[in-house]
Amino acid sequence: MVDAPTVARRLAPDGRNLGIDTARGLALFGMMITHIIAFTAEDGSFTQAVWFAGRSSALFAVLAGFSVVLSTRRVLARPGGLAWAAASSGLVLRGIIIGVIGLLLGLVSSSIAIILTFYGVMFVLAPLFLRLPTLALGLLAPLWLTLVPVLSMVVRREFGLETSYIVPTPGDLVTPGPLLTDLLLTGYYPVVPWMGYLILGMFLARLDWRAPRTAITALLIGLGTAVLAKAVSSLLLTAGGRSALEATLGPVPAGEPGSLEHTLTTGSYGITPPDSWWWLATAGPHSATPFDLLHTAGLAAAVLGVCSLAAIVLGERAWLLAPLSAPGSMPLSVYTGHVVFLEISRLAPIRSLVELMIHVGLAVIFALLWRGFASPRGPLEWPVSSAVRAVQRRVLGDSRPTPGDTRDPVR
């Protein structure tokens, strides 16, 4: 029989940064809100769900950078020249598995854009940045978030690439060219600009999150960046951008789908149209413009700061964060379960708020029971981690089993 202190230790193990898990939990639940709650009410007004549009998925992507660093830390600490090859092989395999799960979920989902396929590509590309020093990552992240969207616009204008509205499925593998274009440039989570989130997460993961100073600094700089990005975007639109973009959109009533106001509030489909350079001045959700990426990246850093501060302040009572941190410790399992259950729940439609409460409640209960009584790894995380460790050992030529790292290092 498992007693209460044992369950508490399993929910808040020593050495694990529960602030990161808590932020993952918030990202998951934020995405659930955007999947279930409509952005507009019957009277045409915007609902509170728009607050989470683009921001939750950005936080999820920044935390991918944390996963890259935390999952390779022990391997890279080994002596010898094979350490990077082993870490890279593990990341590539992890990315392929996540991508395949995403493609399969594309067959299940009929109503939402699946992030996992794009997420998997990011893991495959992550080894390119694995050896960069911390300072280099810290300098590269804001440059990437600012400049790469401009490069993306140049490429899309040059080749006439429009927004892709498809959800990738295994069937798209027969046309690898268009699929790769969608994943990298024109899809809902375009990897080329979104890699900036992962690079930022890798930089943040190397900081000392045991120190309250780190969390406070992330909170203040993150909030400042988010506010500044929105403010500059608003100034540019007032200076001529709004009228220019409204002219390109045509006579669409304000607030209606397709209008500039609606697009800036509820979001684009991953990228902006390539017909006007003024789109780069916007900061609407899922637009992948410099101001959108900087705004959402800043908020992600701020959320990480708040969650880490909460874990530091609670100390031995950090298990109180378990309703968020437990689901956040198994994001692949919770996200996959949510997508599948979302399609099942659509067979018997219920009020959206009730549906959201059911999704969140089931995720919390399952994660608490699984982590408290079954395993520190989620049902999908365990086989993925086992496969990754097996590949790493093979590359290293090490026949000894590598102990699973169930902790998130705090550095």
Side-chain angles (χ1 to χ4, degrees):
M1 185 70 178
V2 181
D3 56 16
T6 300
V7 173
R9 285 195 300 272
R10 289 180 177 179
L11 294 176
D14 293 337
R16 187 175 182 93
N17 189 342
L18 291 185
I20 305 305
D21 285 340
T22 301
R24 286 197 195 100
L26 287 173
L28 286 167
F29 294 151
M31 287 192 288
M32 289 183 188
I33 290 173
T34 62
H35 294 164
I36 296 172
I37 305 296
F39 288 160
T40 55
E42 293 182 359
D43 61 0
S45 61
F46 297 114
T47 67
Q48 287 83 356
V50 298
W51 298 348
F52 300 90
R55 298 178 175 94
S56 300
S57 52
L59 174 58
F60 200 59
V62 170
L63 289 165
F66 271 82
S67 297
V68 167
V69 172
L70 301 179
S71 65
T72 57
R73 178 174 177 263
R74 287 191 173 186
V75 175
L76 290 175
R78 290 198 176 199
L82 291 177
W84 178 85
S88 299
S89 299
L91 288 174
V92 170
L93 178 61
R94 186 185 299 272
I96 291 173
I97 296 174
I98 292 173
V100 169
I101 294 174
L103 290 174
L104 294 175
L105 288 179
L107 295 174
V108 175
S109 175
S110 61
S111 56
I112 64 174
I114 304 298
I115 194 174
L116 292 184
T117 311
F118 302 85
Y119 201 70
V121 175
M122 292 170 65
F123 272 93
V124 171
L125 296 177
L128 298 175
F129 309 97
L130 202 54
R131 280 181 162 175
L132 290 181
T134 301
L135 178 59
L137 290 171
L139 294 174
L140 180 60
L143 289 175
W144 193 288
L145 294 168
T146 303
L147 300 179
V148 170
V150 180
L151 177 61
S152 171
M153 175 69 92
V154 171
V155 173
R156 288 185 289 113
R157 285 174 65 92
E158 179 68 24
F159 293 95
L161 301 177
E162 299 287 346
T163 303
S164 169
Y165 300 99
I166 69 167
V167 177
T169 67
D172 293 307
L173 293 174
V174 300
T175 54
L179 175 61
L180 194 61
T181 300
D182 291 342
L183 292 174
L184 296 179
L185 289 170
T186 60
Y188 204 68
Y189 309 97
V191 169
V192 169
W194 274 55
M195 283 299 293
Y197 289 136
L198 182 133
I199 296 169
L200 174 63
M202 292 178 66
F203 164 70
L204 294 174
R206 293 187 183 176
L207 304 181
D208 183 4
W209 289 93
R210 293 173 298 185
R213 179 179 179 180
T214 301
I216 294 173
T217 302
L219 170 60
L220 295 179
I221 294 180
L223 277 180
T225 301
V227 172
L228 182 61
K230 277 287 188 180
V232 175
S233 172
S234 179
L235 286 174
L236 290 173
L237 292 178
T238 303
R242 183 176 297 275
S243 58
L245 292 175
E246 287 175 343
T248 65
L249 292 172
V252 182
E256 293 292 322
S259 68
L260 182 61
E261 178 188 4
H262 194 277
T263 300
L264 295 180
T265 304
T266 65
S268 305
Y269 289 88
I271 56 171
T272 61
D275 54 9
S276 173
W277 288 104
W278 276 110
W279 284 113
L280 291 175
T282 64
H286 287 297
S287 58
T289 67
F291 297 108
D292 168 40
L293 297 182
L294 290 170
H295 171 75
T296 50
L299 286 180
V303 170
L304 283 164
V306 170
C307 293
S308 294
L309 276 177
I312 292 171
V313 170
L314 288 172
E316 295 182 355
R317 295 186 178 182
W319 55 266
L320 292 171
L321 295 171
L324 287 171
S325 63
S329 69
M330 51 187 77
L332 183 60
S333 299
V334 171
Y335 182 89
T336 300
H338 160 65
V339 172
V340 173
F341 184 63
L342 184 64
E343 293 306 309
I344 296 175
S345 63
R346 296 289 163 87
L347 299 176
I350 55 179
R351 293 183 59 185
S352 57
L353 185 58
V354 175
E355 183 179 359
L356 175 63
M357 293 174 65
I358 293 173
H359 277 257
V360 172
L362 288 176
V364 170
I365 292 170
F366 172 80
L368 289 175
L369 292 176
W370 184 274
R371 188 167 182 85
F373 297 94
S375 170
R377 295 188 185 276
L380 290 181
E381 282 76 7
W382 179 82
V384 172
S385 296
S386 297
V388 168
R389 289 199 300 273
V391 167
Q392 290 173 343
R393 290 197 302 270
R394 187 173 183 85
V395 173
L396 290 170
D398 188 354
S399 60
R400 296 170 299 169
T402 302
D405 187 1
T406 60
R407 303 181 302 163
D408 273 348
V410 290
R411 284 188 67 88

